């Protein structure tokens, strides 16, 4: 866990009481809690920072959609961190809750993650504005880090989509179709996570509560723009995936058409020829043709003429 | 039927008059009526609690869409309780009407149900806030219980969808298609029940009438969030079901393509070979080839060469 | 035609003048005109009740979409009565125009209909509120009767849809497809009639003109709710019909797949066997196999082995 | 070109100066200009009537979407006149610009047309309100004439759609499909022309500028209603055309299914029979069956039994 | 880089300091910077013109969606320039940033382009309003030049679509399908660039900041109209492309149907005939027909009759 102020204090605490003891000394305090299994810590924090019991329940329950709630004395913000698992082509979510109070910020993650490391680094090195501004800017920095990560996920998805497209054009197989179907589901899921965050950030960037300073509004508008762009990219990915599915189906149709043509050409040429051969294989006693010397070569000539006529006909129909 | 107050009274009443007699003594009164066949009770209640005749008609008629109506002296709220029948994969609805007045709450169910038992339990054990707050909180608790049940239904549907997906990928049959079609219809139906509830709760949570206390608004906003999430889940289920249907169709297309290929390969190889065999089955008197000693093994050689060329050609076309 | 007031007068009038003469004596007057061919009557009424010429034109022209217009001294309301013709599966429309003035209501129907009989009955028997309230309540009652009839139409359509679904699952034929297509068109048409009525009623129920009393607003909100429900039902019917069409197409696909499999199985088994038979039907002089005694039974053995291998292969591919 | 006032003056002018000279004498003046090739006239008019240069450019440029612009001293209104070319099934557009000033109206058409003749007639014969009201009513009359013509176009399209539907049900060919596709494109185009006019008229009918009198607002609301109806009709036409395309595809699917069945029935019956005939065409020395006297009729019996069994099997599968 | 004022100064500067030195002397100054690789220049400009660091970052980062931001002392506007690469059928984007301050305009392009040459020309020749008005008009002129270029792109796309349509109707191949798919993706991309510009221009044209003069609002409304039209054209292109894809699929279906018919006709005619020939090729000792003199011609007669009956049957089924 980390504190940041004009002077910088940073400590990993095992008990929550220590954090409380530091609370008064710092100008801006950031407590980051990994793992939500320990409800004791939450309760202690809740009592110290005066947090509504409903908020604490919300933090524990990881099935929430992104939202913000203004409890006068603090702002509660919950949203999703998304990581793309390349092997399983699966998006993994983790819920992040922020409690933004005057000069303090509590952040809750489900698992230990390294997404906030870049922010920690900036605090340590006093890089950029972050050390000069209040806890609301810190909250913005955390949200921004998460939203920036969305783009990484989208980029990875984009690469997969492109490789799928190439595969469909080159050599489509049912596996490709399953991948498209799977990605589409993931995009539906992704959108469900990002869309409400968009609304939430919009609300925040217009918020009139005095927890968020005027200067931070510009930055929030910036993240808001980023979420809009993310949603639009997801939507166009879905459109493109639908297009790929159509393309796959048409390719299958084309292939089937080609297969049918081969079958039809072969069958249409040889079935009549076989019939003629069958005729002269009959054992009738009185078949005058059979006695003629030139009958056999004549038949070959007939067969070859039929064969050629068929080819010409197929050429005309553009089947060849 | 149940009363709740600082002190707790709870009785199952057979006549409605008794309930009326208790009405004045309690701080908060909850009358729960199972079954709507007895219009007498309704009328008596209506007279006692001063309820508009249109409201009473609405309670009796079970075909309503969720809505709320403010009649100054009381709030009328109607919505649907949904239960998923696993065997028939069918969603069963039951209409619930609430009449929220100052310090009393009347609830009407079509059938005896156990959905409200959790609320009853909380009242009996004085667990949580429920005993300390007014009838509007009780109304919230009932709506919350119903909306929470929606999630159970959605979870069951989600499990079925997943098993359907596995089945399509493994071994699709028309039965799967009928199930998808059926679930889609159920989702259309589900959405039709939940969507208007969403609007209704939104209206309630912004309601300025003095029947709903300021503190309850936070809770109503919470259920409102839940209904939004439910609607979004339904929508993504519908999207996924459409995707499954497409997947099914493409799988069928793929199979057909495979079947066609087998047919074409077999026919394309053997029809020409059979033709050649047919030629030498002819009974012409003068066929010089027939007299040659090495003609038969030579023919076999020709047939085998044709066969192999065909195989190479199919390999190139990636049909094998 | 009918008048209603504290005391009740009811007369069928052949000339419009008589109606005018009654106008002053009654508290609420309802003139119902069947058939719009007689423009004289309209003009007379127009002059007497002081109606804008544009309104009269609108009444005569039956191609209007539902709308309401406030002309200060009266309200003009036009909407569609819908009847479902079971035999032709066709929705028949009839335009109804209402002119609501202070204490009078003029209603215009294209043809004589019995939809308003229930309202007439209620007036005659002084049932419910209708005799105690003003002409705006009467207008509501008429609209309500029409909207209630929409539900009847929807129920009939619902029954047909269900029978179509059963037919598709059991034995789909092109006729079923034409029915689905036809019903879809009818639903597009139905929606086009009901949707604007919804808007119109919404506007009316918030209308501030003094032609509509405060008490009637609740009732209008009620019909408004009904039209919303009707529109939603139409929309879900359209969704279901689209689903049925997809189901039909997939069923056809399934059938084709099955047909293809039969063809492929038969052809794949017998074409190679026929080829072998063809080989030994050749007339080469030197074919050592033909001289062997056990060759014929051996060949049969080979044929049966090939046959069985094929069957095993098809079983593995799940084509059998 | 035409002037209208209490007294009526009407003249076809070759130079624009004459029109200017009449301008002061009339109460309402309407100048209709056919053809936009002569930019001199436009500039002169522009100078006389004090028209913004941007407006003049807009009038010359025929690629505008319908819109209205309020330039304080005048209102600029641009929209499309549509004519349906029956032979090519093509909608032809022509841009119409109106400049509505106090007591004057300038109208600009691309080509000489006869759509405004009905309005001219009404002015000449002093029919209806038109001679009594100001230039804003004249503008309404012109817009109304154009919108009324949209209905004619829609009716023609409706007739074509119906004939297409009949053709699909009776005997679909690729030509029908091309027609559907073509009409769909035309409807997309049509909608693109009408939709913005709708918005424009809505804005106009609520306009507070003193160029449009209160009395004209009712009339504008009326045309606005008509455009809404036109847009809805276009939308339902598009829905119906999509439905027709689906119907066409299903019909093709049905036909293919039927073709496949015929092929399968013939092949499935005769391929095994041919195999049996092939067996007894073999030239093995020792085939005991060949020597038996009753073998040939027995074989025929076997073939007929197989044939009949096949038929029974197809009947059961409902392929016959 | 260019300055414009009553008197005109125009210079290509290599260092940014020179531009600053000119800044005070001109009434309106336009600095156009090609290429964003040199962050020094940006920082110097930023310091001189007092530009927020976030804006400078935004200018450097080329992945932004079009937006405008009001920083009191200046307006920041970012949007996309689009060029259509005919050969690859690909839309290439370039980000353009404008900083509009009182009497100065900074424009940043990614690459050197000639799109702004028309504006430069107008400034040099003092054509139109451009020299008389302030920097906001110059900003409008630049945006207008970019939006006008959108139309060029759309026209090129339109031509390609038309050639695709002709190709599908004449001779569809999979290549056509890939082109359609590709264009659809490009349109999704195009829309994503233009849509937010529309919103941005709408906001600007209603902007109350004193950086934009009242007179410029009319011009901005004009470009806004153009972007709406562009978006609508893109949407109808997407609709048309979807229609083309459907058309392609139906054409493939039609072709397959035709192929199937040929196969079925040939197979259905010759398979039974071959069977009959096979029968009389059998070597049974006792086949009475074989001994008859007229048997062979009689068989031919039978075969020809069967052949003709088949043809008649196909004619009836409309397969021929």
């Amino acid at each position: 866990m980390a504190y940041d102020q004009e002077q910088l204090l940073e400590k990993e605490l095992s008990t929550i009481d220590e954090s409380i003891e530091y609370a008064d000394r710092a100008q801006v305090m950031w407590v980051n809690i990994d793992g939500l299994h320990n409800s004791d810590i939450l309760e202690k924090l809740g009592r110290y920072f005066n947090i509504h019991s409903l908020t604490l329940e919300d933090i524990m329950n990881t099935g929430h959609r992104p939202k913000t709630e203004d409890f006068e004395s603090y702002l509660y913000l919950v949203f999703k961190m998304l990581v793309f698992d390349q092997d399983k082509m699966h998006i993994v979510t983790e819920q992040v809750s922020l409690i933004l109070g005057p000069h303090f910020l509590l952040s809750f993650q489900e698992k230990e993650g390294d997404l906030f490391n870049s922010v920690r680094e900036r605090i340590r090195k006093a890089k950029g504005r972050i050390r000069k501004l209040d806890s609301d800017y810190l909250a913005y920095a955390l949200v921004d880090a998460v939203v920036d990560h969305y783009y990484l996920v989208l980029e990875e998805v984009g690469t997969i989509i492109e490789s799928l497209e190439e595969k469909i054009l080159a050599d489509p197989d049912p596996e490709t179709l399953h991948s498209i179907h799977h990605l589409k589901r993931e995009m539906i899921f992704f959108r469900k996570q990002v869309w409400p965050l968009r609304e939430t950030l919009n609300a925040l960037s217009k918020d009139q509560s005095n927890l968020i300073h005027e200067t931070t509004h510009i930055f929030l508008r910036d993240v808001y723009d980023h979420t809009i762009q993310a949603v639009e990219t997801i939507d166009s990915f879905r459109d493109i995936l639908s297009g790929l599915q159509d393309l796959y189906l048409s390719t299958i149709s084309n292939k089937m058409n080609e297969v049918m043509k081969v079958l039809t050409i072969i069958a249409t040429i040889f079935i009549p020829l076989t019939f003629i051969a069958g005729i002269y294989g009959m054992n009738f006693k009185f078949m005058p043709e059979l006695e003629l010397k030139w009958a056999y070569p004549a038949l070959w000539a007939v067969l070859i003429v039929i064969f050629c006529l068929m080819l010409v006909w197929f050429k005309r129909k553009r089947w060849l």
Side-chain angles (χ1 to χ4, degrees), chain A:
Chain A
M1 289 128 208
Y3 306 98
D4 66 302
Q5 36 195 130
E6 290 303 311
Q7 72 273 36
L8 169 72
L9 288 167
E10 182 174 353
K11 262 201 187 164
E12 193 145 329
L13 304 169
S14 44
T15 65
I16 205 64
D17 303 278
E18 298 182 49
S19 101
I20 289 165
E21 144 191 357
Y22 283 107
D24 295 328
R25 300 207 324 233
Q27 268 182 306
V28 176
M29 182 168 85
W30 172 23
V31 186
N32 183 40
I33 289 137
D34 289 331
L36 303 171
H37 37 272
N38 196 337
S39 63
D40 274 7
I41 297 179
L42 269 159
E43 255 171 65
K44 254 185 212 161
L45 271 174
R47 234 172 302 127
Y48 183 80
F49 288 107
N50 201 9
I51 289 162
H52 198 286
S53 61
L54 215 67
T55 306
L56 291 177
E57 278 174 36
D58 277 4
I59 290 170
M60 299 293 285
N61 181 346
T62 61
H64 278 290
R65 72 197 296 269
K67 63 172 178 176
T68 180
E69 274 178 14
D70 189 346
F71 288 83
E72 306 275 318
S73 66
Y74 65 90
L75 249 160
Y76 170 59
L77 181 68
V78 58
F79 54 96
K80 300 286 178 181
M81 193 181 274
L82 299 179
V83 182
F84 190 70
D85 183 339
Q86 278 275 11
D87 297 329
K88 299 191 197 153
M89 298 212 314
H90 189 62
I91 292 170
V92 183
T93 57
E94 190 186 328
Q95 179 165 308
V96 177
S97 303
L98 298 183
I99 288 180
L100 169 67
H103 312 310
F104 69 86
L105 181 81
L106 313 181
S107 64
F108 304 85
Q109 284 175 271
E110 278 183 62
K111 278 166 277 175
E112 251 179 88
D114 49 0
L115 224 71
F116 291 164
N117 280 348
S118 65
V119 179
R120 276 190 204 101
E121 209 53 39
R122 269 154 68 196
I123 295 174
R124 280 182 203 127
K125 304 205 172 149
K127 232 165 89 182
R129 272 165 295 251
I130 201 157
R131 285 276 286 279
K132 297 178 209 129
L133 294 170
D134 206 347
S135 55
D136 56 341
Y137 185 82
L138 179 59
Y140 149 75
L142 295 182
V143 176
D144 195 43
V146 167
V147 171
D148 270 1
H149 199 77
Y150 289 173
Y151 283 93
L152 276 182
V153 174
L154 283 175
E155 250 169 59
E156 292 181 84
V157 172
T159 323
I160 294 176
I161 287 176
E162 236 142 85
S163 74
L164 281 177
E165 189 170 10
E166 270 165 41
K167 222 179 156 189
I168 287 177
L169 293 183
D171 175 30
D173 61 22
E175 210 48 52
T176 330
L177 188 69
H178 297 342
S179 300
I180 291 170
H181 176 71
H182 182 77
L183 270 184
K184 249 171 135 181
R185 278 191 70 163
E186 292 297 317
M187 286 300 104
I188 290 171
F189 176 77
F190 197 166
R191 198 182 198 288
K192 226 174 108 189
Q193 304 305 327
V194 182
W195 181 255
L197 179 59
R198 196 196 72 104
E199 287 173 51
T200 303
L201 287 171
N202 189 21
L204 268 190
S205 75
K206 287 171 183 163
D207 198 281
Q208 292 305 336
S209 86
N210 44 16
L211 285 166
I212 296 178
H213 300 263
E214 197 57 43
T215 49
T216 313
H217 280 184
I218 298 176
F219 296 108
L220 284 172
R221 232 166 50 190
D222 217 62
V223 219
Y224 169 63
D225 276 354
H226 289 160
T227 50
I228 289 183
Q229 214 171 340
V231 168
E232 281 176 7
T233 308
I234 294 170
D235 284 348
S236 57
F237 276 1
R238 284 179 64 186
D239 277 358
I240 290 169
L241 283 168
S242 293
L244 281 185
Q245 201 164 21
D246 289 349
L247 193 66
Y248 176 81
L249 277 174
S250 331
T251 313
I252 292 291
S253 271
N254 272 324
K255 283 202 150 185
M256 203 126 128
N257 200 17
E258 201 194 351
V259 171
M260 288 306 306
K261 273 186 198 165
V262 169
L263 176 60
T264 306
I265 289 169
I266 297 290
T268 307
I269 288 177
F270 284 103
I271 288 180
L273 300 186
T274 306
F275 163 69
I276 292 171
I279 286 290
Y280 293 106
M282 293 191 299
N283 298 318
F284 285 107
K285 275 243 162 90
F286 308 95
M287 288 173 72
E289 298 99 315
L290 296 180
E291 316 295 325
L292 301 169
K293 246 205 153 150
W294 46 266
Y296 180 57
L299 188 87
W300 267 115
V302 167
L303 293 179
I304 288 163
V305 165
I306 291 176
F307 185 87
C308 293
L309 285 177
M310 288 279 194
L311 285 188
V312 169
W313 188 55
F314 290 139
K315 262 261 165 346
R316 267 214 194 152
K317 277 192 166 263
R318 290 174 174 265
W319 291 4
L320 279 176

